[in-house]
Amino acid sequence: TNDTLTSDVIGRRVEVNGEYATVRFSGIVPPVAGCWLGVEWDNPERGKHDGSHEGTVYFKCRHPTGGSFIRPNKVNFGIDFLTAVKNRYVLEDGPEEDGKEQVVIIGSRPVETIGFDSVVKQQSENKLRCPSGSAPLTGAFSALKVLVLNRTGITWAEVLRCASACPVLEELYLESNDIVISERPTDVLQTVKLLDLSSNRLIDESQLFLIAYLPRLEQLILSDIGISSIHFPDAGIGCKTSMFPNLQYLVVNDNQISQWSFINELDKLRSLHALSCNRNPLTEGDKAAQTTRQLIIAKIGQLRTLNKCKILPEERRGAELDYRKAFGNEWKKAGGHQDPARNRPDEAFLAAHPRYQLLCLKYGAPEDGELKIQQPFMLKNQLLTLKIKCPNQPDQKVLEKQLPDSMTIQKVKGLLSRLLRVPVSDLLLSYESPKMPGREIELENDLQSLQFYSVENGDSLLVRW
């Protein structure tokens, strides 16, 4: 490449010793003579500055160490199309560099794969450059419903400009672009149902509010954006926010969420039915995974799926009863009382436990006897005194047995089979509680424990065959 270059190199993609960059500047950089290219590296750790030299700004980078000045003769401006396709997608003949075979299971069949690692190493995403001053794009892709712009270096302003070309767009993927949401979409993105903003670590809580009124947004993926808090200022305790009105599925994996207040706020989303919240400090702490799951279920009332696992009615009931019991003493100290006329917990308690009052209405306020044991999540062998009734066998006397709450339904059936002399396969179990008169809960999962179903002291096991 000649040392004298015209301005049309600005925006060109280049390669230097295996590293990729975009040309942002071409010209003289005093006091050193000759032509220089100012480049912004795809990998910001490769650079040395932000496009400035001795107080003069020659170009701008998204990262403070994303830029470098390079002589034109050190830069590779590209190769012909066929060579590029071969380098990117075709494996060279001869032995594989890694010398490894991999076996993956597709369906039920093992499939040998050779060379996948090398293909991955050669993959690099295309950087998107929207020409300035070009004709409007409105309606150019009138039928396009899915647009993937991951790792293209696109800005939010360019996203909105591209979106104007896609009036029926439903899915938009923008992973790893260092996007800053700088303005609210007004006449674009109005049909989008799925938006993926994963690994855009410059996005913060205030920026999310700019996309909070997209009318058809149902799925929002915010994995690995570094978010730690969220607050919907338009909704008080126990109220629903007007933001994200149709959001049904939220993904916040791999973030910095460490406070339960984040989960409390999600209960304000009126349409939220599914949540993925893996690998956050809140979910990776000292508490057992099952304990954390129960707390999230109890705190978000309308949730149906958590971390891609369906929440069954009995699991929700158990989680809410355990939650009500676990924080009962704290509730009483804060001003809670079994007498509705005297039940006035303070604002601090209600802020930390927004659904607690609702759970008391649903299941009744916790009695003093329930609050003596304040470790409902511990897998301890607490003995339960249970009545055993056989509704379809009027001649069978009511029995009373003490069983550990960790005992599985399968083992309970085995005990009853020996006791009643009935084959295990014929037994159907359920239970009733004096706290919920007239309601019968089926014990349908043999692998779960009595504790899972929130069977308590004084309840009655109903046995049918």
Side-chain angles (χ1 to χ4, degrees):
T1 304
N2 294 328
D3 280 351
T4 57
L5 295 171
T6 58
S7 61
D8 63 0
V9 300
I10 305 301
R12 290 277 300 274
R13 296 284 291 158
V14 296
E15 179 263 333
V16 182
N17 297 326
E19 296 279 355
Y20 292 90
T22 303
V23 178
R24 301 297 187 196
F25 167 81
S26 174
I28 306 298
V29 182
V32 183
C35 183
W36 292 88
L37 294 180
V39 300
E40 181 178 10
W41 299 99
D42 290 6
N43 176 12
E45 296 180 0
R46 173 67 174 78
K48 297 180 179 179
H49 51 72
D50 62 355
S52 302
H53 179 66
E54 294 187 354
T56 301
V57 178
Y58 292 92
F59 62 98
K60 292 183 178 180
C61 294
R62 296 190 183 187
H63 294 272
T65 62
S68 295
F69 290 108
I70 299 178
R71 291 294 191 185
N73 61 0
K74 301 293 185 183
V75 170
N76 179 6
F77 275 90
I79 53 180
D80 65 88
F81 178 74
L82 290 178
T83 302
V85 170
K86 181 178 179 181
N87 290 346
R88 179 167 177 136
Y89 298 110
V90 180
L91 294 174
E92 298 291 341
D93 294 333
E96 175 59 31
E97 178 185 347
D98 296 316
K100 296 179 181 177
E101 297 180 358
Q102 293 177 309
V103 177
V104 297
I105 303 298
I106 300 178
S108 58
R109 298 183 178 182
V111 178
E112 285 189 1
T113 63
I114 302 176
F116 273 30
D117 290 341
S118 292
V119 172
V120 170
K121 288 178 184 177
Q122 295 180 47
Q123 297 288 338
S124 64
E125 301 298 332
N126 296 314
K127 298 300 176 184
L128 183 66
R129 178 189 175 194
C130 291
S132 58
S134 59
L137 299 175
T138 306
F141 301 101
S142 59
L144 186 67
K145 292 187 177 182
V146 179
L147 180 59
V148 181
L149 296 172
N150 297 336
R151 299 180 181 87
T152 57
I154 194 169
T155 66
W156 184 248
E158 291 170 336
V159 168
L160 299 185
R161 188 159 180 268
C162 289
S164 68
C166 312
V168 296
L169 188 65
E170 294 184 357
E171 298 183 14
L172 178 58
Y173 299 86
L174 300 170
E175 180 184 343
S176 302
N177 282 303
D178 291 324
I179 280 176
V180 174
I181 302 175
S182 54
E183 58 182 296
R184 179 175 173 177
T186 51
D187 54 352
V188 295
L189 303 183
Q190 302 301 297
T191 58
V192 167
K193 296 181 180 179
L194 184 154
L195 179 59
D196 185 354
L197 293 169
S198 297
S199 301
N200 287 287
R201 298 186 64 83
L202 301 178
I203 292 177
D204 59 24
E205 174 184 356
S206 62
Q207 294 176 44
L208 293 178
F209 294 156
L210 294 174
I211 58 170
Y213 294 98
L214 293 176
R216 299 189 185 179
L217 186 61
E218 297 177 356
Q219 300 182 54
L220 180 59
I221 305 174
L222 300 176
S223 295
D224 188 36
I225 67 168
I227 193 169
S228 61
S229 64
I230 195 165
H231 174 65
F232 301 110
D234 65 327
I237 295 172
C239 301
K240 298 297 182 183
T241 178
S242 61
M243 298 182 182
F244 300 102
N246 290 307
L247 186 63
Q248 298 177 22
Y249 182 33
L250 176 64
V251 181
V252 287
N253 298 329
D254 302 295
N255 280 297
Q256 301 301 317
I257 302 166
S258 60
Q259 302 296 323
W260 285 106
S261 57
F262 189 101
I263 304 299
N264 290 341
E265 287 295 303
L266 297 186
D267 188 53
K268 296 179 179 179
L269 295 170
R270 62 180 70 249
S271 302
L272 188 67
H273 295 150
L275 172 68
S276 287
C277 188
N278 293 306
R279 297 177 297 279
N280 281 280
L282 188 69
T283 58
E284 300 292 312
D286 295 334
K287 283 189 174 68
Q290 184 62 27
T291 299
T292 303
R293 178 178 172 85
Q294 285 185 302
L295 286 170
I296 294 175
I297 291 170
K299 283 178 171 288
I300 306 178
Q302 69 274 23
L303 210 59
R304 299 174 189 168
T305 303
L306 177 57
N307 296 330
K308 298 187 178 181
C309 293
K310 188 176 180 181
I311 301 169
L312 300 176
E314 58 266 26
E315 184 181 15
R316 171 161 293 284
R317 178 180 177 276
E320 292 179 341
L321 282 173
D322 279 349
Y323 184 85
R324 166 183 158 275
K325 191 189 303 182
F327 297 98
N329 283 328
E330 188 177 334
W331 168 73
K332 289 189 69 176
K333 290 178 182 178
H337 200 279
Q338 284 88 355
D339 181 355
R342 301 169 61 187
N343 181 26
R344 297 186 182 88
D346 59 35
E347 289 188 12
F349 178 85
L350 294 178
H353 308 281
R355 294 196 71 231
Y356 197 89
Q357 294 286 76
L358 181 63
L359 297 181
C360 287
L361 290 174
K362 185 176 181 179
Y363 300 107
E367 300 294 334
D368 291 341
E370 296 180 77
L371 305 182
K372 290 180 181 178
I373 301 172
Q374 194 170 349
Q375 293 180 326
F377 300 115
M378 297 294 288
L379 296 178
K380 56 190 179 303
N381 290 329
Q382 177 189 349
L383 287 178
L384 303 175
T385 301
L386 305 174
K387 293 180 181 179
I388 298 174
K389 301 178 181 179
C390 304
N392 297 343
Q393 310 294 328
D395 296 334
Q396 179 67 49
K397 294 181 180 180
V398 176
L399 304 175
E400 191 170 275
K401 285 287 182 182
Q402 283 192 323
L403 304 177
D405 64 355
S406 59
M407 194 172 190
T408 64
I409 304 305
Q410 187 176 40
K411 291 184 178 179
V412 173
K413 284 183 176 180
L415 173 67
L416 294 174
S417 173
R418 295 189 295 273
L419 192 65
L420 302 173
R421 297 181 180 178
V422 178
V424 170
S425 58
D426 293 346
L427 293 179
L428 297 175
L429 292 190
S430 59
Y431 84 96
E432 60 184 7
S433 171
K435 295 179 182 177
M436 295 183 293
R439 185 176 176 187
E440 189 175 325
I441 309 296
E442 292 185 12
L443 305 176
E444 56 187 4
N445 190 334
D446 287 352
L447 301 180
Q448 295 292 356
S449 65
L450 293 171
Q451 182 193 49
F452 174 84
Y453 286 103
S454 295
V455 178
E456 298 180 345
N457 215 39
D459 289 349
S460 297
L461 290 179
L462 306 180
V463 190
R464 293 182 175 89
W465 64 88

